[in-house]
Amino acid sequence: MRWNKYKIVCIVFIVFIMLTGLSTAVFGAKQIGYNMLVGYKKNLNENATGLDKVRAIIAGCEDGMNTEYVLEDQCINLYGGFQKLLGKRVVNDVDVSKDVIKLNNGYLSFYGHQKLDVSEIVKNTVEFDEFLKEKDIPLLYVQAPFKISKYDNKLPEGIKDYNNEKADDYLKELSKVGIDTLDLREAIKQDGIGHYSMFFKTDHHWTPKAGLWAFGKISEKLNANYGFNIDKKLWNQKNYNIKTYKDWYLGSEGKRTGIYYTGIDDFDIITPKFETNFDFKVESQNIHRKGAFKDAVLDWTRFGTQDYFNELPYSTYSGGDVNLANIKNKKETSGKKILLIKDSFSSVLIPFLALGSSNLDVVDVRQPDKINLREYIENTNPDIVIIMYNPSIMFKESNAFEFK
């Protein structure tokens, strides 16, 4: 038998999985047994068949193994290193929407497998715009970029991504009905910025520096078309302190492939050099922070300790996804109020956008405890409603376009 590095690594990987699986069964036996019992009892009703009970026990055992798995993170790292050694450019997931591809520049990305008929999400957006028009409130749709560039996709041969096509179709239909839009993909190109420099290597999100840049582009639009007067100094990077934490962040794609497949990202904390004063509230989670930018709109509980697989430093910016957050800027006296409807791409935008208005309401309609959006708008009467989504949120089952 002729040995080579691929066979050796394969055998090492199989042996490692076997040993960790055995260790899990031994040392996690108590928890695994408990989950089996819970799964069994959940199905103890008059309609449960014997097969249902067996399936419940198996599911409980699987859950116990997953939660108690010994050296789980190291398994992911080893698996990713094995994929890299084999030269694999696609790392498959049980959920195909979470398949990870390695682009030609080494960046990782999810990708859109299917086209989308945008007519339904356009219909919902138009209905929402009509509601706002009755209240004399303008609507601005901001198209956040997808990680794969529209103009330089760097895709491996044979892979097709449909995210930019979905965004193009949606923007085209909004333009037909007169809804104002701002396409940040085009703004990146016009500013001569390297598209991929706006993104983390291991995460589908863009960076805090990209969030500050996006604030500038949105501010220019608000100043030109919507009666705002946001000071240019607020989006000038020279007016901010930027502290870079080296090898601090493993993003959503990196968590599926491990640290050896394409490395680890640095992470920037950006704070103003100028004086700030905010009041930040998330009523649904009893969160209330006051004070300067770094104390109020940054959530340091999310920053982490370089626990790559169990922490999400990205959520340091504005604290992640919640149904409703309210930010009052006590240094802004214009009285201008913005309501932002967002996905997770807005996390790194929100702290900076809060600098440009007296009041910023941030709504995520995807949350299970979502607010009554239209009632909230009637009660608060914002000066403008902004929707900012990235194209990956456009899929058939998405509830992101249910503006009720």
Side-chain angles (χ1 to χ4, degrees):
M1 180 179 183
R2 186 177 178 182
W3 292 89
N4 57 42
K5 63 180 181 180
Y6 302 110
K7 291 180 180 178
I8 293 171
V9 171
C10 184
I11 290 172
V12 170
F13 181 69
I14 292 171
V15 170
F16 183 80
I17 293 297
M18 290 175 64
L19 289 175
T20 53
L22 180 61
S23 299
T24 300
V26 173
F27 296 110
K30 184 177 180 180
Q31 184 64 43
I32 294 168
Y34 173 77
N35 284 336
M36 287 177 64
L37 184 61
V38 169
Y40 181 76
K41 286 184 175 180
K42 281 172 65 176
N43 286 274
L44 281 181
N45 58 65
E46 58 184 21
N47 297 319
T49 65
L51 183 59
D52 289 335
K53 294 173 184 178
V54 170
R55 286 172 175 166
I57 292 172
I58 294 172
C61 182
E62 182 180 1
D63 182 61
M65 288 290 286
N66 288 337
T67 56
E68 299 297 313
Y69 202 87
V70 173
L71 300 178
E72 178 184 2
D73 298 348
Q74 287 79 357
C75 285
I76 296 172
N77 287 331
L78 185 60
Y79 175 72
F82 185 47
Q83 300 301 304
K84 181 178 181 180
L85 184 63
L86 294 177
K88 288 197 67 175
R89 300 284 299 278
V90 180
V91 179
N92 298 111
D93 194 278
V94 175
D95 179 357
V96 295
S97 70
K98 301 301 181 185
D99 286 349
V100 176
I101 54 174
K102 181 182 281 189
L103 303 177
N104 294 338
N105 58 2
Y107 279 60
L108 304 181
S109 184
F110 301 130
Y111 66 106
H113 294 68
Q114 296 180 332
K115 295 182 179 182
L116 175 72
D117 179 355
V118 299
S119 58
E120 187 65 25
I121 63 175
V122 169
K123 175 175 173 287
N124 290 347
T125 310
V126 170
E127 288 178 354
F128 183 50
D129 181 52
E130 289 171 351
F131 163 80
L132 293 174
K133 282 178 178 176
E134 292 175 359
K135 313 298 177 186
D136 199 27
I137 299 171
L139 173 65
L140 171 65
Y141 177 77
V142 178
Q143 183 61 67
F146 188 64
K147 189 170 186 177
I148 296 170
S149 170
K150 175 181 175 179
Y151 297 103
D152 181 19
N153 63 48
K154 298 193 181 299
L155 287 167
E157 187 176 349
I159 297 292
K160 172 69 176 176
D161 171 67
Y162 292 99
N163 280 296
N164 284 300
E165 183 177 311
K166 290 187 292 185
D168 288 342
D169 291 346
Y170 181 63
L171 290 168
K172 181 179 178 181
E173 294 304 313
L174 294 190
S175 178
K176 287 180 181 178
V177 296
I179 294 176
D180 197 11
T181 63
L182 172 62
D183 190 347
L184 293 179
R185 300 172 303 165
E186 302 300 329
I188 291 171
K189 185 172 184 287
Q190 290 166 7
D191 281 5
I193 300 172
H195 179 93
Y196 294 96
S197 70
M198 305 288 274
F199 287 84
F200 292 105
K201 198 171 186 179
T202 68
D203 194 33
H204 64 292
H205 293 114
W206 54 357
T207 66
K209 286 180 181 176
L212 177 58
W213 170 86
F215 166 52
K217 292 300 166 184
I218 293 170
S219 296
E220 289 174 351
K221 183 82 169 180
L222 295 177
N223 287 351
N225 297 352
Y226 295 100
F228 282 69
N229 187 28
I230 302 171
D231 194 328
K232 291 181 179 180
K233 76 174 185 180
L234 295 179
W235 66 82
N236 187 334
Q237 198 175 113
K238 293 179 180 179
N239 293 320
Y240 290 82
N241 296 306
I242 302 177
K243 185 172 182 179
T244 300
Y245 292 81
K246 294 291 185 182
D247 296 332
W248 197 263
Y249 184 39
L250 189 68
S252 55
E253 293 138 354
K255 283 178 169 61
R256 287 170 168 78
T257 57
I259 63 176
Y260 304 127
Y261 188 65
T262 204
I264 306 166
D265 281 299
D266 298 337
F267 191 80
D268 292 330
I269 292 293
I270 305 176
T271 54
K273 294 178 180 178
F274 48 88
E275 187 177 348
T276 55
N277 189 6
F278 289 98
D279 193 331
F280 179 97
K281 289 183 180 180
V282 180
E283 296 288 355
S284 64
Q285 297 185 8
N286 296 315
I287 295 171
H288 189 190
R289 297 190 295 265
K290 294 182 178 181
F293 182 100
K294 66 181 180 64
D295 301 314
V297 295
L298 298 186
D299 183 354
W300 291 97
T301 66
R302 308 294 188 104
F303 184 60
T305 58
Q306 286 185 295
D307 182 351
Y308 296 131
F309 289 92
N310 299 302
E311 294 173 338
L312 186 61
Y314 181 80
S315 295
T316 303
Y317 287 86
S318 71
D321 298 332
V322 296
N323 63 347
L324 171 66
N326 173 256
I327 310 174
K328 288 182 170 56
N329 182 354
K330 296 184 177 181
K331 290 289 184 180
E332 221 312 310
T333 59
S334 70
K336 289 290 189 180
K337 297 185 291 184
I338 298 173
L339 187 142
L340 173 68
I341 301 173
K342 51 88 72 174
D343 62 14
S344 59
F345 262 60
S346 288
S347 292
V348 293
L349 166 70
I350 291 164
F352 306 114
L353 187 61
L355 291 164
S357 64
S358 296
N359 187 89
L360 174 63
D361 285 313
V362 181
V363 177
D364 189 336
V365 299
R366 303 169 301 164
Q367 300 305 308
D369 59 343
K370 65 181 180 180
I371 66 168
N372 185 319
L373 177 62
R374 299 193 182 192
E375 182 180 289
Y376 189 80
I377 289 172
E378 288 177 338
N379 291 336
T380 57
N381 193 34
D383 293 288
I384 188 169
V385 172
I386 301 173
I387 303 170
M388 189 176 88
Y389 284 156
N390 93 94
S392 66
I393 207 167
M394 299 174 182
F395 56 93
K396 189 175 180 180
E397 298 82 11
S398 175
N399 60 352
F401 294 86
E402 295 176 4
F403 305 118
K404 300 292 187 181

